[in-house]
Amino acid sequence: MELLNTLVDKGLRREPPTREEALAVLATADDDLLDVVAAAGKVRRAWFGRRVKLNYLVNLKSGLCPEDCSYCSQRLGSQTGILKYTWLKPEEAAAAAGAGVAGGAKRVCLVASGRGPTDRDVERVSRTIQAIKEQHEDVEVCACLGLLSDGQATRLRDAGADAYNHNLNTSEATYGDITTTHTYADRVTTVRQAQAAGMSACSGLIAGMGETDEDLVDVVFSLRELDPDSVPVNFLIPIEGTPLAEKWHLTPQRCLRILAMVRFVCPDVEVRLAGGREIHLRSLQPLALHLANSIFLGDYLTTEGQAGKDDLAMIADAGFEVEGTDTTTLPAHRADALAAVGAACGGHGEAAAGCGSAGGGCAPCGDAATPETSETPETSKTSETVPATVPAEAAPAAVPAATPAAGARTDLVSVRRRGAGTDLPPNA
């Protein structure tokens, strides 16, 4: 297909496709799917070789969230039966992180539910980061705490945070249909605050929420403009008890086309295969490694993932290798840009470039560069309470029931009952 040849050439030059070309990728026929994967795979290998970066999630505080995000099992008034607990102690979080590092994770992602951290929360997370770094000097730490207030990004960077995650999730035009308690602009502002503080920015999307192809292209082009270093691609897990519980729109083939489109639009960025991969890609997960150069190891925040040993076996069987801490994830032009930003902000500068986060949040994505060749039932640790239901004036519009896509495996969703917040060992 001439389209694919054009997209490969553009990807190797870090030139963006047109919107029409990105839409055409999503519209390709199943008969052409392997050609699409092969083409996007050329771009992936040019910038990242056959390396796969492993990331590990630690849910510092589960549930108890005042926001009404329709996709989220931790949302206000959630009746999903997930684990709910307040803040893990620094030593508990460090122990949880250690399990992921032992499994090969290069980055630990510290996540806490809520609209955004208080200054006391930032201090708490700072102590947690320090506890993790004391035990695992080379590990990258990414914080994901919601909307940031002035000065908080700098405090997290000074505490040793290498990156900050805040996803755009969906297009600006449809954001109000998914969430009403904060805005799309709020999310953009937080990502820019992280970049300005010298941290590597991580921001991605959730596919499968009923969006159109145009919405998917919109959010991915918005991400390219925002220029995060990492773009997690999540596939909606329609957990019972959330407004999007009936949204089973994805097939393995559509997931691969979405990943390919993201790779063509963001060729030299860490594309992370994130939540929902096991449910929606299933036996086609190894093909996705030709598109994404990063995955989460083991379980997610509130749901179970593939066993860590199976993740490692999948990577090896597909002919890929786990990326070590001695390797910078992203290309040198992005690593150098982040180092310059970190130094200008008074941050870790050279250390940021060497730790593997390899950023460059301020680097224009189109500049020329040379590719590489190569519980037991619910456990509560808090007296916090939240309203049992979402106030009517705050609730997103009702989402109509939908017919599951052909082949959807609705039986594969399992709520996490092990790891952080429980006495059971993690899945890593």
Side-chain angles (χ1 to χ4, degrees), residues 316-350:
D317 290 348
F320 292 85
E321 60 184 18
V322 173
E323 182 176 291
T325 57
D326 58 343
T327 302
T328 299
T329 299
L330 297 184
H333 58 279
R334 299 189 69 92
D336 292 344
L338 180 61
V341 173
C345 296
H348 15 275
E350 291 299 325

PDB file of all heavy atoms in Angstrom, residues 316-350:
ATOM      1  N   ALA A 316      10.096 -12.511  25.207  1.00  0.00           N
ATOM      2  CA  ALA A 316      11.176 -13.346  24.683  1.00  0.00           C
ATOM      3  C   ALA A 316      10.716 -14.148  23.465  1.00  0.00           C
ATOM      4  O   ALA A 316      11.428 -14.233  22.449  1.00  0.00           O
ATOM      5  CB  ALA A 316      11.679 -14.286  25.778  1.00  0.00           C
ATOM      6  N   ASP A 317       9.533 -14.730  23.541  1.00  0.00           N
ATOM      7  CA  ASP A 317       9.032 -15.560  22.441  1.00  0.00           C
ATOM      8  C   ASP A 317       8.814 -14.748  21.170  1.00  0.00           C
ATOM      9  O   ASP A 317       8.934 -15.277  20.059  1.00  0.00           O
ATOM     10  CB  ASP A 317       7.718 -16.233  22.844  1.00  0.00           C
ATOM     11  CG  ASP A 317       7.904 -17.308  23.906  1.00  0.00           C
ATOM     12  OD1 ASP A 317       9.068 -17.694  24.162  1.00  0.00           O
ATOM     13  OD2 ASP A 317       6.886 -17.752  24.481  1.00  0.00           O
ATOM     14  N   ALA A 318       8.489 -13.466  21.334  1.00  0.00           N
ATOM     15  CA  ALA A 318       8.257 -12.608  20.165  1.00  0.00           C
ATOM     16  C   ALA A 318       9.555 -12.057  19.590  1.00  0.00           C
ATOM     17  O   ALA A 318       9.532 -11.323  18.596  1.00  0.00           O
ATOM     18  CB  ALA A 318       7.320 -11.461  20.537  1.00  0.00           C
ATOM     19  N   GLY A 319      10.687 -12.398  20.202  1.00  0.00           N
ATOM     20  CA  GLY A 319      11.977 -11.962  19.683  1.00  0.00           C
ATOM     21  C   GLY A 319      12.408 -10.587  20.147  1.00  0.00           C
ATOM     22  O   GLY A 319      13.281  -9.964  19.535  1.00  0.00           O
ATOM     23  N   PHE A 320      11.828 -10.120  21.258  1.00  0.00           N
ATOM     24  CA  PHE A 320      12.200  -8.833  21.824  1.00  0.00           C
ATOM     25  C   PHE A 320      13.020  -9.045  23.094  1.00  0.00           C
ATOM     26  O   PHE A 320      13.142 -10.166  23.573  1.00  0.00           O
ATOM     27  CB  PHE A 320      10.963  -7.987  22.119  1.00  0.00           C
ATOM     28  CG  PHE A 320      10.230  -7.545  20.872  1.00  0.00           C
ATOM     29  CD1 PHE A 320       9.288  -8.360  20.269  1.00  0.00           C
ATOM     30  CD2 PHE A 320      10.506  -6.315  20.294  1.00  0.00           C
ATOM     31  CE1 PHE A 320       8.628  -7.973  19.115  1.00  0.00           C
ATOM     32  CE2 PHE A 320       9.851  -5.899  19.144  1.00  0.00           C
ATOM     33  CZ  PHE A 320       8.912  -6.734  18.554  1.00  0.00           C
ATOM     34  N   GLU A 321      13.573  -7.966  23.643  1.00  0.00           N
ATOM     35  CA  GLU A 321      14.371  -8.073  24.859  1.00  0.00           C
ATOM     36  C   GLU A 321      13.947  -6.996  25.848  1.00  0.00           C
ATOM     37  O   GLU A 321      13.526  -5.897  25.458  1.00  0.00           O
ATOM     38  CB  GLU A 321      15.859  -7.924  24.544  1.00  0.00           C
ATOM     39  CG  GLU A 321      16.219  -6.590  23.905  1.00  0.00           C
ATOM     40  CD  GLU A 321      17.694  -6.517  23.516  1.00  0.00           C
ATOM     41  OE1 GLU A 321      18.339  -7.564  23.414  1.00  0.00           O
ATOM     42  OE2 GLU A 321      18.183  -5.383  23.314  1.00  0.00           O
ATOM     43  N   VAL A 322      14.041  -7.322  27.128  1.00  0.00           N
ATOM     44  CA  VAL A 322      13.691  -6.364  28.169  1.00  0.00           C
ATOM     45  C   VAL A 322      14.781  -5.307  28.255  1.00  0.00           C
ATOM     46  O   VAL A 322      15.968  -5.621  28.311  1.00  0.00           O
ATOM     47  CB  VAL A 322      13.513  -7.076  29.529  1.00  0.00           C
ATOM     48  CG1 VAL A 322      13.317  -6.061  30.650  1.00  0.00           C
ATOM     49  CG2 VAL A 322      12.330  -8.031  29.475  1.00  0.00           C
ATOM     50  N   GLU A 323      14.363  -4.055  28.293  1.00  0.00           N
ATOM     51  CA  GLU A 323      15.298  -2.941  28.357  1.00  0.00           C
ATOM     52  C   GLU A 323      15.883  -2.811  29.755  1.00  0.00           C
ATOM     53  O   GLU A 323      15.152  -2.801  30.746  1.00  0.00           O
ATOM     54  CB  GLU A 323      14.558  -1.655  27.970  1.00  0.00           C
ATOM     55  CG  GLU A 323      15.407  -0.415  27.948  1.00  0.00           C
ATOM     56  CD  GLU A 323      14.596   0.772  27.463  1.00  0.00           C
ATOM     57  OE1 GLU A 323      14.247   0.795  26.265  1.00  0.00           O
ATOM     58  OE2 GLU A 323      14.296   1.653  28.282  1.00  0.00           O
ATOM     59  N   GLY A 324      17.198  -2.696  29.845  1.00  0.00           N
ATOM     60  CA  GLY A 324      17.870  -2.587  31.133  1.00  0.00           C
ATOM     61  C   GLY A 324      17.998  -1.159  31.608  1.00  0.00           C
ATOM     62  O   GLY A 324      17.770  -0.189  30.871  1.00  0.00           O
ATOM     63  N   THR A 325      18.392  -1.011  32.868  1.00  0.00           N
ATOM     64  CA  THR A 325      18.539   0.328  33.453  1.00  0.00           C
ATOM     65  C   THR A 325      19.751   1.072  32.895  1.00  0.00           C
ATOM     66  O   THR A 325      19.884   2.273  33.103  1.00  0.00           O
ATOM     67  CB  THR A 325      18.684   0.228  34.984  1.00  0.00           C
ATOM     68  OG1 THR A 325      19.802  -0.609  35.305  1.00  0.00           O
ATOM     69  CG2 THR A 325      17.417  -0.349  35.603  1.00  0.00           C
ATOM     70  N   ASP A 326      20.614   0.358  32.193  1.00  0.00           N
ATOM     71  CA  ASP A 326      21.799   0.999  31.622  1.00  0.00           C
ATOM     72  C   ASP A 326      21.528   1.578  30.236  1.00  0.00           C
ATOM     73  O   ASP A 326      22.441   2.088  29.584  1.00  0.00           O
ATOM     74  CB  ASP A 326      22.955   0.004  31.548  1.00  0.00           C
ATOM     75  CG  ASP A 326      22.624  -1.243  30.721  1.00  0.00           C
ATOM     76  OD1 ASP A 326      21.416  -1.488  30.479  1.00  0.00           O
ATOM     77  OD2 ASP A 326      23.558  -1.959  30.337  1.00  0.00           O
ATOM     78  N   THR A 327      20.276   1.490  29.789  1.00  0.00           N
ATOM     79  CA  THR A 327      19.914   1.966  28.454  1.00  0.00           C
ATOM     80  C   THR A 327      18.917   3.116  28.561  1.00  0.00           C
ATOM     81  O   THR A 327      17.936   3.023  29.292  1.00  0.00           O
ATOM     82  CB  THR A 327      19.269   0.829  27.628  1.00  0.00           C
ATOM     83  OG1 THR A 327      20.174  -0.266  27.534  1.00  0.00           O
ATOM     84  CG2 THR A 327      18.910   1.321  26.227  1.00  0.00           C
ATOM     85  N   THR A 328      19.170   4.196  27.840  1.00  0.00           N
ATOM     86  CA  THR A 328      18.223   5.304  27.786  1.00  0.00           C
ATOM     87  C   THR A 328      17.068   4.906  26.877  1.00  0.00           C
ATOM     88  O   THR A 328      17.288   4.435  25.768  1.00  0.00           O
ATOM     89  CB  THR A 328      18.900   6.572  27.251  1.00  0.00           C
ATOM     90  OG1 THR A 328      19.968   6.924  28.131  1.00  0.00           O
ATOM     91  CG2 THR A 328      17.914   7.724  27.175  1.00  0.00           C
ATOM     92  N   THR A 329      15.856   5.099  27.346  1.00  0.00           N
ATOM     93  CA  THR A 329      14.699   4.618  26.605  1.00  0.00           C
ATOM     94  C   THR A 329      14.546   5.305  25.259  1.00  0.00           C
ATOM     95  O   THR A 329      14.483   4.660  24.216  1.00  0.00           O
ATOM     96  CB  THR A 329      13.410   4.823  27.425  1.00  0.00           C
ATOM     97  OG1 THR A 329      13.510   4.084  28.636  1.00  0.00           O
ATOM     98  CG2 THR A 329      12.187   4.347  26.642  1.00  0.00           C
ATOM     99  N   LEU A 330      14.463   6.620  25.267  1.00  0.00           N
ATOM    100  CA  LEU A 330      14.137   7.362  24.052  1.00  0.00           C
ATOM    101  C   LEU A 330      15.392   7.819  23.322  1.00  0.00           C
ATOM    102  O   LEU A 330      16.497   7.812  23.864  1.00  0.00           O
ATOM    103  CB  LEU A 330      13.253   8.556  24.400  1.00  0.00           C
ATOM    104  CG  LEU A 330      11.886   8.214  25.000  1.00  0.00           C
ATOM    105  CD1 LEU A 330      11.078   9.466  25.219  1.00  0.00           C
ATOM    106  CD2 LEU A 330      11.124   7.236  24.123  1.00  0.00           C
ATOM    107  N   PRO A 331      15.239   8.232  22.062  1.00  0.00           N
ATOM    108  CA  PRO A 331      16.389   8.674  21.272  1.00  0.00           C
ATOM    109  C   PRO A 331      17.132   9.840  21.919  1.00  0.00           C
ATOM    110  O   PRO A 331      16.577  10.602  22.718  1.00  0.00           O
ATOM    111  CB  PRO A 331      15.750   9.089  19.944  1.00  0.00           C
ATOM    112  CG  PRO A 331      14.486   8.296  19.871  1.00  0.00           C
ATOM    113  CD  PRO A 331      13.995   8.198  21.279  1.00  0.00           C
ATOM    114  N   ALA A 332      18.392   9.991  21.535  1.00  0.00           N
ATOM    115  CA  ALA A 332      19.279  10.962  22.190  1.00  0.00           C
ATOM    116  C   ALA A 332      18.764  12.393  22.107  1.00  0.00           C
ATOM    117  O   ALA A 332      18.947  13.169  23.044  1.00  0.00           O
ATOM    118  CB  ALA A 332      20.680  10.870  21.570  1.00  0.00           C
ATOM    119  N   HIS A 333      18.110  12.752  20.998  1.00  0.00           N
ATOM    120  CA  HIS A 333      17.659  14.137  20.863  1.00  0.00           C
ATOM    121  C   HIS A 333      16.616  14.484  21.916  1.00  0.00           C
ATOM    122  O   HIS A 333      16.541  15.611  22.382  1.00  0.00           O
ATOM    123  CB  HIS A 333      17.106  14.402  19.456  1.00  0.00           C
ATOM    124  CG  HIS A 333      15.965  13.525  19.054  1.00  0.00           C
ATOM    125  ND1 HIS A 333      16.146  12.240  18.584  1.00  0.00           N
ATOM    126  CD2 HIS A 333      14.624  13.733  19.057  1.00  0.00           C
ATOM    127  CE1 HIS A 333      14.973  11.702  18.303  1.00  0.00           C
ATOM    128  NE2 HIS A 333      14.021  12.586  18.588  1.00  0.00           N
ATOM    129  N   ARG A 334      15.815  13.487  22.348  1.00  0.00           N
ATOM    130  CA  ARG A 334      14.830  13.744  23.388  1.00  0.00           C
ATOM    131  C   ARG A 334      15.489  13.712  24.765  1.00  0.00           C
ATOM    132  O   ARG A 334      15.162  14.515  25.645  1.00  0.00           O
ATOM    133  CB  ARG A 334      13.700  12.721  23.304  1.00  0.00           C
ATOM    134  CG  ARG A 334      12.936  12.762  21.985  1.00  0.00           C
ATOM    135  CD  ARG A 334      11.686  11.897  22.011  1.00  0.00           C
ATOM    136  NE  ARG A 334      10.682  12.458  22.896  1.00  0.00           N
ATOM    137  CZ  ARG A 334       9.720  13.294  22.508  1.00  0.00           C
ATOM    138  NH1 ARG A 334       9.655  13.689  21.239  1.00  0.00           N
ATOM    139  NH2 ARG A 334       8.831  13.746  23.365  1.00  0.00           N
ATOM    140  N   ALA A 335      16.412  12.812  24.976  1.00  0.00           N
ATOM    141  CA  ALA A 335      17.127  12.749  26.250  1.00  0.00           C
ATOM    142  C   ALA A 335      17.908  14.038  26.497  1.00  0.00           C
ATOM    143  O   ALA A 335      17.897  14.581  27.607  1.00  0.00           O
ATOM    144  CB  ALA A 335      18.070  11.546  26.254  1.00  0.00           C
ATOM    145  N   ASP A 336      18.569  14.521  25.466  1.00  0.00           N
ATOM    146  CA  ASP A 336      19.353  15.747  25.614  1.00  0.00           C
ATOM    147  C   ASP A 336      18.454  16.942  25.930  1.00  0.00           C
ATOM    148  O   ASP A 336      18.817  17.820  26.724  1.00  0.00           O
ATOM    149  CB  ASP A 336      20.147  16.020  24.334  1.00  0.00           C
ATOM    150  CG  ASP A 336      21.243  14.996  24.110  1.00  0.00           C
ATOM    151  OD1 ASP A 336      21.585  14.266  25.067  1.00  0.00           O
ATOM    152  OD2 ASP A 336      21.749  14.911  22.970  1.00  0.00           O
ATOM    153  N   ALA A 337      17.275  16.969  25.305  1.00  0.00           N
ATOM    154  CA  ALA A 337      16.359  18.085  25.545  1.00  0.00           C
ATOM    155  C   ALA A 337      15.880  18.097  26.991  1.00  0.00           C
ATOM    156  O   ALA A 337      15.799  19.151  27.625  1.00  0.00           O
ATOM    157  CB  ALA A 337      15.173  18.012  24.583  1.00  0.00           C
ATOM    158  N   LEU A 338      15.563  16.918  27.540  1.00  0.00           N
ATOM    159  CA  LEU A 338      15.113  16.865  28.930  1.00  0.00           C
ATOM    160  C   LEU A 338      16.236  17.255  29.883  1.00  0.00           C
ATOM    161  O   LEU A 338      16.014  17.945  30.870  1.00  0.00           O
ATOM    162  CB  LEU A 338      14.598  15.473  29.276  1.00  0.00           C
ATOM    163  CG  LEU A 338      14.106  15.320  30.719  1.00  0.00           C
ATOM    164  CD1 LEU A 338      12.936  16.254  30.998  1.00  0.00           C
ATOM    165  CD2 LEU A 338      13.712  13.890  31.023  1.00  0.00           C
ATOM    166  N   ALA A 339      17.437  16.804  29.585  1.00  0.00           N
ATOM    167  CA  ALA A 339      18.572  17.163  30.432  1.00  0.00           C
ATOM    168  C   ALA A 339      18.746  18.677  30.474  1.00  0.00           C
ATOM    169  O   ALA A 339      19.021  19.262  31.529  1.00  0.00           O
ATOM    170  CB  ALA A 339      19.849  16.498  29.921  1.00  0.00           C
ATOM    171  N   ALA A 340      18.567  19.321  29.324  1.00  0.00           N
ATOM    172  CA  ALA A 340      18.715  20.774  29.264  1.00  0.00           C
ATOM    173  C   ALA A 340      17.622  21.467  30.077  1.00  0.00           C
ATOM    174  O   ALA A 340      17.891  22.429  30.802  1.00  0.00           O
ATOM    175  CB  ALA A 340      18.677  21.245  27.815  1.00  0.00           C
ATOM    176  N   VAL A 341      16.388  20.964  29.978  1.00  0.00           N
ATOM    177  CA  VAL A 341      15.288  21.547  30.746  1.00  0.00           C
ATOM    178  C   VAL A 341      15.523  21.342  32.236  1.00  0.00           C
ATOM    179  O   VAL A 341      15.342  22.243  33.051  1.00  0.00           O
ATOM    180  CB  VAL A 341      13.938  20.936  30.322  1.00  0.00           C
ATOM    181  CG1 VAL A 341      12.825  21.414  31.243  1.00  0.00           C
ATOM    182  CG2 VAL A 341      13.621  21.311  28.883  1.00  0.00           C
ATOM    183  N   GLY A 342      15.951  20.128  32.617  1.00  0.00           N
ATOM    184  CA  GLY A 342      16.192  19.834  34.024  1.00  0.00           C
ATOM    185  C   GLY A 342      17.283  20.703  34.607  1.00  0.00           C
ATOM    186  O   GLY A 342      17.172  21.200  35.734  1.00  0.00           O
ATOM    187  N   ALA A 343      18.333  20.936  33.822  1.00  0.00           N
ATOM    188  CA  ALA A 343      19.429  21.778  34.298  1.00  0.00           C
ATOM    189  C   ALA A 343      18.979  23.225  34.460  1.00  0.00           C
ATOM    190  O   ALA A 343      19.317  23.893  35.432  1.00  0.00           O
ATOM    191  CB  ALA A 343      20.604  21.688  33.331  1.00  0.00           C
ATOM    192  N   ALA A 344      18.176  23.686  33.506  1.00  0.00           N
ATOM    193  CA  ALA A 344      17.697  25.065  33.576  1.00  0.00           C
ATOM    194  C   ALA A 344      16.775  25.284  34.762  1.00  0.00           C
ATOM    195  O   ALA A 344      16.705  26.367  35.326  1.00  0.00           O
ATOM    196  CB  ALA A 344      16.972  25.425  32.278  1.00  0.00           C
ATOM    197  N   CYS A 345      16.056  24.217  35.150  1.00  0.00           N
ATOM    198  CA  CYS A 345      15.136  24.328  36.280  1.00  0.00           C
ATOM    199  C   CYS A 345      15.833  24.090  37.610  1.00  0.00           C
ATOM    200  O   CYS A 345      15.191  24.134  38.657  1.00  0.00           O
ATOM    201  CB  CYS A 345      14.003  23.304  36.134  1.00  0.00           C
ATOM    202  SG  CYS A 345      12.951  23.588  34.703  1.00  0.00           S
ATOM    203  N   GLY A 346      17.116  23.744  37.561  1.00  0.00           N
ATOM    204  CA  GLY A 346      17.816  23.435  38.802  1.00  0.00           C
ATOM    205  C   GLY A 346      17.580  22.011  39.255  1.00  0.00           C
ATOM    206  O   GLY A 346      17.824  21.665  40.395  1.00  0.00           O
ATOM    207  N   GLY A 347      17.099  21.181  38.338  1.00  0.00           N
ATOM    208  CA  GLY A 347      16.795  19.793  38.686  1.00  0.00           C
ATOM    209  C   GLY A 347      17.982  18.898  38.501  1.00  0.00           C
ATOM    210  O   GLY A 347      19.129  19.334  38.507  1.00  0.00           O
ATOM    211  N   HIS A 348      17.693  17.581  38.271  1.00  0.00           N
ATOM    212  CA  HIS A 348      18.794  16.637  38.235  1.00  0.00           C
ATOM    213  C   HIS A 348      19.574  16.639  36.936  1.00  0.00           C
ATOM    214  O   HIS A 348      20.555  15.939  36.825  1.00  0.00           O
ATOM    215  CB  HIS A 348      18.348  15.215  38.560  1.00  0.00           C
ATOM    216  CG  HIS A 348      16.911  14.942  38.513  1.00  0.00           C
ATOM    217  ND1 HIS A 348      16.081  15.181  39.562  1.00  0.00           N
ATOM    218  CD2 HIS A 348      16.119  14.415  37.567  1.00  0.00           C
ATOM    219  CE1 HIS A 348      14.859  14.791  39.265  1.00  0.00           C
ATOM    220  NE2 HIS A 348      14.849  14.343  38.067  1.00  0.00           N
ATOM    221  N   GLY A 349      19.151  17.369  35.918  1.00  0.00           N
ATOM    222  CA  GLY A 349      19.960  17.565  34.720  1.00  0.00           C
ATOM    223  C   GLY A 349      20.504  16.297  34.127  1.00  0.00           C
ATOM    224  O   GLY A 349      19.788  15.497  33.581  1.00  0.00           O
ATOM    225  N   GLU A 350      21.843  16.104  34.238  1.00  0.00           N
ATOM    226  CA  GLU A 350      22.482  14.950  33.626  1.00  0.00           C
ATOM    227  C   GLU A 350      21.910  13.653  34.152  1.00  0.00           C
ATOM    228  O   GLU A 350      21.768  12.688  33.428  1.00  0.00           O
ATOM    229  CB  GLU A 350      23.992  14.993  33.880  1.00  0.00           C
ATOM    230  CG  GLU A 350      24.706  16.105  33.146  1.00  0.00           C
ATOM    231  CD  GLU A 350      24.575  15.972  31.635  1.00  0.00           C
ATOM    232  OE1 GLU A 350      24.552  14.836  31.132  1.00  0.00           O
ATOM    233  OE2 GLU A 350      24.494  17.003  30.955  1.00  0.00           O
TER     234      GLU A 350
END
